[in-house]
């Protein structure tokens, strides 16, 4: 079993590299951003930049491509959403402050402190997306493909973290799996659009 779990980072990388492409393509194709969160996309880009540093310091070289892809593609998604009016000044300032906090913790506490902070903060990273999806009546802009890939990637990291007894990866993976399932459940249970209002009179009644 340990031999199989040793390949989990490779599987996570395969699933993680393209995970934001379905959402990017959907936004570009349809222009629909309903239920999609700009803070989630921006935080994902920022946090994965910090995870890159953590993986380098930990020697998890196989994790670097997926983290680098998330930095780039989540950043592209954030730009697309910002161009469609999703960015707010308040969220921008909060993310700038968070970025400064990551740099400060990484400099002061090193790999362990940075990884602990990132793992604990992952719930805050996905919270804006869950909030946007569940408060929106018809979250038609959400891409199921993106969240299926996120589910697969983070399930791999949860399993790998358990095998390596890494509490940070376990926390990251389990939180990501829960968030992905909530997002996928929202896309499956979103209510159908209301039926159009019909004529004031039944069709068989002739108006005078």
């Amino acid at each position: 079993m340990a031999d199989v779990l040793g390949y989990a980072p490779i599987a996570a990388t395969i699933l993680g590299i393209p995970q934001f492409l379905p959402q990017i393509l959907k936004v570009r194709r349809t222009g629909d951003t309903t239920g999609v969160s700009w803070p989630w996309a921006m935080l994902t880009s920022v946090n994965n930049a910090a995870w890159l540093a953590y993986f380098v310091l930990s020697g998890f070289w196989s994790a670097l491509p997926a983290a680098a892809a998330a930095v780039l593609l989540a950043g592209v998604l954030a730009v697309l959403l910002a161009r469609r009016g999703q960015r707010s000044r308040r969220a921008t300032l909060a993310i700038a402050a968070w970025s400064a906090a990551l740099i400060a913790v990484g400099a002061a506490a090193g790999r362990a402190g940075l990884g602990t902070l990132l793992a604990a903060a992952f719930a805050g990273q996905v919270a804006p997306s869950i909030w946007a999806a569940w408060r929106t009546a018809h979250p038609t802009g959400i891409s199921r493909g993106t969240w299926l890939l996120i589910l697969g990637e983070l399930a791999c990291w949860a399993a790998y973290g358990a095998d390596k007894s890494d509490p940070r990866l376990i926390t990251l993976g389990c939180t990501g799996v829960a968030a992905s399932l909530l997002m996928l459940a929202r896309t499956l249970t979103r209510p159908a659009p209301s039926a159009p209002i019909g004529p004031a009179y039944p069709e068989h009644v002739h108006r005078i």
Side-chain angles (χ1 to χ4, degrees), residues 41-181:
M42 197 64 234
L43 279 171
T44 299
S45 184
V46 168
N47 285 356
N48 272 278
W51 276 114
L52 268 174
Y54 175 80
F55 289 141
V56 168
L57 294 172
S58 301
F60 292 160
W61 308 115
S62 60
L64 297 183
V71 173
L72 175 62
L73 295 180
V76 170
L77 177 60
V79 170
L80 291 175
L81 295 173
R83 288 177 176 174
R84 287 163 173 79
Q86 295 291 328
R87 182 174 65 89
S88 69
R89 181 177 179 180
R90 181 178 179 181
T92 302
L93 292 174
I95 292 171
W98 171 247
S99 301
L102 286 173
I103 294 171
V105 169
R111 179 187 72 88
L114 181 61
T116 299
L117 180 61
L118 285 169
F122 186 74
Q125 174 183 318
V126 295
S129 188
I130 296 171
W131 173 253
W134 284 88
R135 74 171 182 168
T136 304
H138 308 299
T140 53
I142 298 172
S143 167
R144 291 177 187 167
T146 283
W147 287 100
L148 283 169
L149 289 168
I150 292 173
L151 173 63
E153 182 205 5
L154 292 173
C156 289
W157 283 123
Y160 185 73
D163 182 56
K164 298 299 182 182
S165 300
D166 188 321
R168 301 169 191 86
L169 288 180
I170 293 171
T171 301
L172 170 69
C174 292
T175 305
V177 167
S180 301
L181 290 174

Side-chain angles (χ1 to χ4, degrees), residues 12 25 32 78 93 101 123 158 179 191:
L25 293 174
D32 186 359
L93 292 174

